Amino acid sequence: MTDLPAGATWYPAPTTPAPTAPITTTLAPTAPTAPTAPTPDRPSLALVLPGGGYRHHAPHEGEGYARWLNTLGISAVVFTYPVAPHRHPEAVVATRTLLRDLRTGVHTGLPSDPRVLLIGSSAGGHLATLVSNAPTPDERAVSDVDDRPDATLLCYPVVSMTDHPHRGSVDSLLGKGSTVWAQSALDGEELVDDRTPPTFVWHTAEDAVVHVTHSLAYGRALARHLVPFELHVFERGEHGIGLAEGAGTAAAWPGAAERWLRERGW
């Protein structure tokens, strides 16, 4: 059992029993084998932020992703962060605080001092960009928490609040009639700096809800700051396709993300 805060659900990865020592010994030398990747000193844990336009939480981008991560041996926490009528900065403060608490072992029954992979989809992707970068002035006014994840995975994310904005996310996060200044302060691509964690981003070119330029702009910002990243744009696929089973070439993204994580030692 865990004592996670309300809105956070724990999905532990299955554990594999350690192999027992062999009973017999081998006298002949064995053939050399390829070296394996070093076992990380810290356990891995994912914090999953479902999409939903800052109005609700899409289940397939929460539990669905957690179950997929479990097959990779990564435990996950799905967080139903504050949404409308709650306004910025409540969601980002709550998420950053949970991330810090996951690292410091405040909650029982979870790995201690884990590396944290932050996964966000659509509006949850926008929240993930905020948490992956320096706190905004609105955040600093109510919290001094500045924890960032060790890596970030963004699925068709909302990034900009001003360029091809997703109006539903803007209005739910900031309220109708918010100023251009308030919106531009939350343009995720403008918040990237040298401390932004390595990032995997994917989108579809025909997404009619969140324009693909959101991911392209974030990739450009990552490149400018020499942040390690991988960006995939698939031609076909509607918005919100999650793990994209049966969605043409976009169905390749989970495998690409898994390889990216393995190459980074996850």
Side-chain angles (χ1 to χ4, degrees), residues 11 30 35 41 100 108 135 174 179 189 197 201 244 253:
Y11 294 88
T30 57
D41 295 330
R100 178 200 59 188
T108 59
L174 293 171
T179 66
E189 73 276 20
V201 191
W253 87 259

Side-chain angles (χ1 to χ4, degrees), residues 127-153:
L127 177 55
T129 68
L130 297 183
V131 177
S132 297
N133 294 294
T136 63
D138 286 339
E139 283 184 73
R140 291 196 180 279
V142 297
S143 173
D144 60 356
V145 178
D146 189 14
D147 273 25
R148 305 190 194 194
D150 297 278
T152 304
L153 198 163

Side-chain angles (χ1 to χ4, degrees), residues 3 26 48 52 57 66 70 83 87 98-99 123 128 159 169 186 242 246 256 262:
D3 59 350
T26 302
V48 183
H57 305 93
N70 288 169
V83 296
R87 304 297 190 205
L98 176 57
L99 193 157
V159 173
S169 293
L186 300 183
R262 299 301 186 208

